[in-house]
Amino acid sequence: MRDPLPQSFYLKPTVEVARNLLGALLVRTLSGGETLSGIIVETEAYVTGDPACHAYCGITPRNAVMWGPAGHIYVYRSYGIHEMLNLVTEREGLAEAVLIRAIEPVEGIETMRTARGGIKSRFELTNGPGKLAQALEITRAEFNGMDITRPNAALAVYERASEPEIKATTRIGITKGVELPYRFLIPKNGYVSKGRPSVAPI
DNA sequence: TCCGCGATCGTCT
DNA sequence: GACGATCGCGGAC
């Protein structure tokens, strides 16, 4: 397989990166050598001046990675339970990121099923940010701050085959900035998350 | 099928 | 001490 997407891919405006990630292949290599992969089908953009963005209130130990170089991984825990996978965008000093919300499983489906507690439906293995992290065994301890553009990394993103149809809607599961159309997904894909936008799709 | 609620804990005030 | 970029279960219809 070719090299992972380079840092220049993540140095573009965050909304553009969020759109360009749709259709790309997310590949997780487990410590045992097994490969898990899936096509990214849903993302959300978090930008400067956005009240829903973790970085909105300034730099803290938790969100420090967002201020760092593009192409690094920001993982944090939500509701005390779920791990969230984000990819840092923009230049250093500008704290923006893309949340990966859902993928369509390609390789390692049985392993993902086991990691998810034996769930039967393959549509529900990775259709939500918390589920995706659980299925791919992505933890904050191992991945927060890691460079995703490095060859042979435990997690990598590869260029998409072709540009998919893209739909923009409002974001999900937040209480601030709900009106911004920063959620992007591939319509009619059965693996997107089930949450619904609070406003009609744009 | 849809909706409401509890779980659970790191982080910030 | 309160809350959150969520999830899954159980009950109503």
Side-chain angles (χ1 to χ4, degrees):
Chain A
M1 185 174 290
R2 292 188 301 272
D3 287 337
L5 287 168
Q7 189 183 43
S8 58
F9 176 88
Y10 301 95
L11 275 169
K12 295 173 181 159
T14 301
V15 166
E16 193 177 330
V17 175
R19 299 176 64 99
N20 289 344
L21 279 170
L22 292 178
L25 188 67
L26 180 67
V27 179
R28 164 76 163 114
T29 304
L30 299 178
S31 54
E34 187 181 359
T35 298
L36 310 179
S37 70
I39 296 168
I40 297 173
V41 296
E42 182 175 343
T43 60
E44 283 182 359
Y46 287 87
V47 304
T48 301
D50 169 9
C53 182
H54 280 182
Y56 183 65
C57 297
I59 191 166
T60 67
R62 172 173 71 151
N63 65 25
V65 173
M66 291 183 75
W67 265 265
H72 283 223
I73 301 170
Y74 170 48
V75 180
Y76 84 100
R77 185 182 295 271
S78 175
Y79 292 90
I81 307 171
H82 308 287
E83 307 280 341
M84 303 281 163
L85 172 64
N86 298 260
L87 302 181
V88 177
T89 60
E90 282 286 2
R91 57 183 162 79
E92 281 191 62
L94 203 52
E96 306 198 357
V98 174
L99 169 68
I100 308 299
R101 287 192 56 89
I103 65 172
E104 174 181 338
V106 175
E107 290 174 89
I109 290 177
E110 284 311 312
T111 299
M112 293 188 203
R113 202 188 301 277
T114 303
R116 293 272 292 116
I119 262 185
K120 290 173 192 162
S121 167
R122 57 187 282 158
F123 293 101
E124 296 183 13
L125 289 174
T126 54
N127 64 337
K131 301 176 189 179
L132 179 156
Q134 187 181 25
L136 297 183
E137 302 179 32
I138 292 171
T139 60
R140 174 179 143 84
E142 182 177 356
F143 286 95
N144 192 42
M146 182 184 284
D147 182 357
I148 202 172
T149 66
R150 195 166 45 88
N152 306 317
L155 195 63
V157 180
Y158 294 89
E159 187 176 13
R160 64 188 177 195
S162 61
E163 183 169 350
E165 185 183 350
I166 295 174
K167 189 162 98 175
T169 76
T170 52
R171 291 172 296 184
I172 287 176
I174 55 176
T175 56
K176 302 167 194 166
V178 293
E179 74 287 356
L180 296 170
Y182 287 167
R183 175 185 179 224
F184 304 97
L185 54 89
I186 300 179
K188 301 183 213 107
N189 183 290
Y191 297 89
V192 300
S193 69
K194 293 296 184 286
R196 297 196 176 157
S198 54
V199 188
I202 312 290

